Amino acid sequence: MDHRRGPLVSARPRKLVQLASRDNFALHTAVARVAPVVEASMTAEVLADRVLDQRHLSDDGSGWLAPWRPARRVFDSRLRELAGQSVVLRTDVKDCFGSITPGVVESALVRVGCHPGESTAVGSVLSRLSEQGVRGLPVGPPASTVLANAVLVGVDRSLRGRPHLRWVDDILVFCSDMKEAVRTLSQLRRELATVGLQIAPEKTSVGALAGGISDSSSRSS
């Protein structure tokens, strides 16, 4: 674990996946049925990629997600408020989208309250994409971020009652001291392991807010 101080959220360019129109339609049609339940399961600490009007989700994913710039401004404001008197634990999920399997998605959707049949339908689409060479969740489609949020709900719930923020797979927890930060990091490791995910050690640090906050994050970061 890195104890150096520095920007708490950094840009992590990812290669976007361009799905064929038929596959993009199938993915978003399946996820549209579960997206309202996933969104309802989110806590206020999750700032990125929230679903907008859940009643009228387009078949291609356009217009699904709240604009990231206003959300980022809220994130940065809350980060400054919380970080002032805290030891900040920042960690990142290693290869998050690429490591999320169809089975993990199906189980996560059922856990947040989605109908098993609808959850299976989503898993079937992801399995077909996997057979075409798409590893994990395809990076880029709005449906993928909805599913990633569903998988990470367990992390959010495990941190309930503790000051924290999550921006996609960047997780920041505001601790009283170093001991609490170390305990929390162990807890996060265990929680992520339950869905087949790991933290990225090279992107894990504990320290005070310093050097400002990177605003270079994008929808795909």
Side-chain angles (χ1 to χ4, degrees):
M1 181 168 58
D2 189 351
H3 295 270
R4 293 173 296 177
R5 300 178 180 184
L8 294 176
V9 179
S10 58
R12 303 180 313 284
R14 291 171 175 160
K15 186 176 180 180
L16 301 181
V17 175
Q18 186 67 43
L19 297 179
S21 297
R22 178 180 58 186
D23 293 329
N24 189 59
F25 175 83
L27 177 63
H28 286 92
T29 299
V31 176
R33 299 189 181 100
V34 300
V37 178
V38 174
E39 176 61 25
S41 74
M42 297 291 100
T43 67
E45 288 79 15
V46 183
L47 274 299
D49 295 338
R50 301 299 297 254
V51 178
L52 288 173
D53 189 344
Q54 302 163 45
R55 299 167 300 171
H56 306 290
L57 296 177
S58 64
D59 293 331
D60 63 357
S62 60
W64 276 31
L65 304 179
W68 76 270
R69 289 185 186 278
R72 187 56 184 222
R73 286 194 292 269
V74 174
F75 178 92
D76 288 351
S77 175
R78 292 182 62 183
L79 174 53
R80 290 189 175 91
E81 291 174 3
L82 291 168
Q85 303 299 320
S86 303
V87 173
V88 184
L89 164 64
R90 179 257 173 162
T91 193
D92 184 280
V93 180
K94 182 178 181 180
D95 187 24
C96 183
F97 279 42
S99 300
I100 294 177
T101 65
V104 164
V105 170
E106 287 188 43
S107 297
L109 291 176
V110 171
R111 280 197 301 274
V112 300
C114 298
H115 188 280
E118 294 175 344
S119 304
T120 299
V122 173
S124 296
V125 174
L126 293 176
S127 293
R128 290 198 298 272
L129 293 178
S130 178
E131 292 170 359
Q132 298 172 25
V134 177
R135 191 171 64 88
L137 299 177
V139 177
S144 290
T145 60
V146 173
L147 298 179
N149 270 334
V151 171
L152 292 173
V153 160
V155 169
D156 302 326
R157 290 177 176 174
S158 74
L159 295 172
R160 187 174 292 155
R162 302 187 192 184
H164 68 280
L165 297 171
R166 180 163 68 79
W167 182 271
V168 192
D169 57 336
D170 261 308
I171 304 164
L172 295 95
V173 188
F174 305 91
C175 304
S176 58
D177 54 33
M178 188 65 68
K179 288 183 178 180
E180 182 184 355
V182 171
R183 288 196 303 269
T184 302
L185 182 59
S186 295
Q187 175 185 339
L188 288 173
R189 282 198 180 100
R190 291 192 299 270
E191 187 61 42
L192 289 170
T194 66
V195 289
L197 299 176
Q198 303 175 20
I199 66 164
E202 72 279 7
K203 296 177 181 176
T204 299
S205 61
V206 175
L209 180 62
I213 305 166
S214 169
D215 62 358
S216 55
S217 180
S218 66
R219 181 73 72 196
S220 62
S221 66

